[in-house]
Amino acid sequence: AQTVTQSQPEMSVQEAETVTLSCTYDTSESDYYLFWYKQPPSRQMILVIRQEAYKQQNATENRFSVNFQKAAKSFSLKISDSQLGDAAMYFCAYRRDFGNEKLTFGTGTRLTIIP
Amino acid sequence: SAVISQKPSRDICQRGTSLTIQCQVDSQVTMMFWYRQQPGQSLTLIATANQGSEATYESGFVIDKFPISRPNLTFSTLTVSNMSPEDSSIYLCSVEGQYYGYTFGSGTRLTVV
């Protein structure tokens, strides 16, 4: 079974600085997708960024980028120029490359932005 | 990507009663997923609902406790039956969206007293 591990229960960063959230996963599959979701206090799950395992190029979305290391099964999220609105729980998630597959989530990292 | 309307947003229920949560999607989707998020925890999949067939439940979840309805391709309900305080959680529905991303409903915060 696939597992997703987030080893940092809490992180904090100064506003405008850069922070990196860690995620590792375990799978025997070669094709899959990885995601980072953000859950602010409103509890709405918001997709931050996604990465296809077959792509070597790391995904980027504005201030958000990932460092995808397939061999190491590592998928970290870097947030640049941190803003107060980035404060939230961040969940790493894995999905096999099949139709209608479920997401497997990590335990989450609570990110605090220090003004 | 799809937009999901989930209701109720929150409820406080007496133990022993049942609550039905509804999710309406603005487009037709094959599968809908129901997750539970216990306080301070991550999301755990309860079941996957396919239109026209019985839902598939994950280990630790049973149909008698969490019956699911999927009458058409845009709607599903999850019932939490015979509730106890341990059922106090956030319940979320989800559908697969564009480019394999997933869209979530806004969640139902359930408190059982």
Side-chain angles (χ1 to χ4, degrees):
Chain A
Q2 295 81 19
T3 59
V4 179
T5 302
Q6 294 179 247
S7 59
Q8 306 155 314
E10 297 184 353
M11 292 282 285
S12 60
V13 62
Q14 291 281 141
E15 192 175 3
E17 296 296 310
T18 296
V19 64
T20 298
L21 308 184
S22 300
C23 173
T24 59
Y25 58 95
D26 186 26
T27 182
S28 58
E29 306 284 343
S30 59
D31 294 323
Y32 48 88
Y33 296 84
L34 297 165
F35 306 86
W36 279 97
Y37 278 87
K38 168 185 177 181
Q39 188 181 41
S42 68
R43 70 177 181 265
Q44 179 72 55
M45 293 289 286
I46 302 167
L47 178 62
V48 175
I49 200 165
R50 59 188 284 276
Q51 174 79 44
E52 297 92 331
Y54 65 84
K55 288 187 176 179
Q56 293 186 334
Q57 186 174 6
N58 289 324
T60 62
E61 287 286 343
N62 300 313
R63 298 183 294 107
F64 299 87
S65 62
V66 298
N67 183 3
F68 173 50
Q69 301 290 328
K70 190 172 184 179
K73 297 181 181 176
S74 170
F75 183 61
S76 61
L77 175 70
K78 185 172 81 171
I79 306 174
S80 303
D81 185 26
S82 297
Q83 300 176 359
L84 294 177
D86 295 333
M89 282 291 291
Y90 285 81
F91 293 98
C92 179
Y94 165 98
R95 177 198 184 280
R96 292 194 309 172
D97 187 15
F98 291 99
N100 301 311
E101 273 289 308
K102 69 177 183 180
L103 289 175
T104 299
F105 287 91
T107 50
T109 296
R110 181 175 301 280
L111 179 64
T112 300
I113 311 297
I114 303 167
Chain B
S1 52
V3 175
I4 303 175
S5 175
Q6 182 174 344
K7 58 179 67 173
S9 61
R10 61 179 63 222
D11 208 340
I12 301 173
C13 300
Q14 296 290 323
R15 66 179 66 200
T17 63
S18 298
L19 176 71
T20 295
I21 301 167
Q22 301 179 3
C23 277
Q24 178 74 51
V25 189
D26 69 345
S27 59
Q28 294 185 339
V29 294
T30 305
M31 305 293 276
M32 292 184 73
F33 303 88
W34 287 97
Y35 289 87
R36 182 177 73 181
Q37 186 178 22
Q38 295 179 300
Q41 303 295 315
S42 185
L43 283 74
T44 301
L45 183 68
I46 297 171
T48 304
N50 192 2
Q51 192 268 336
S53 63
E54 280 199 8
T56 301
Y57 289 82
E58 296 294 298
S59 175
F61 297 96
V62 295
I63 188 170
D64 290 345
K65 177 66 175 177
F66 298 101
I68 288 173
S69 167
R70 184 80 202 276
N72 57 53
L73 291 174
T74 63
F75 186 78
S76 180
T77 66
L78 169 75
T79 298
V80 186
S81 303
N82 188 25
M83 289 184 286
S84 67
E86 291 71 34
D87 295 319
S88 298
S89 295
I90 296 171
Y91 294 85
L92 301 105
C93 61
S94 174
V95 299
E96 185 175 359
Q98 197 175 25
Y99 305 121
Y100 300 106
Y102 286 75
T103 301
F104 286 81
S106 54
T108 297
R109 182 182 295 275
L110 170 62
T111 302
V112 184
V113 297

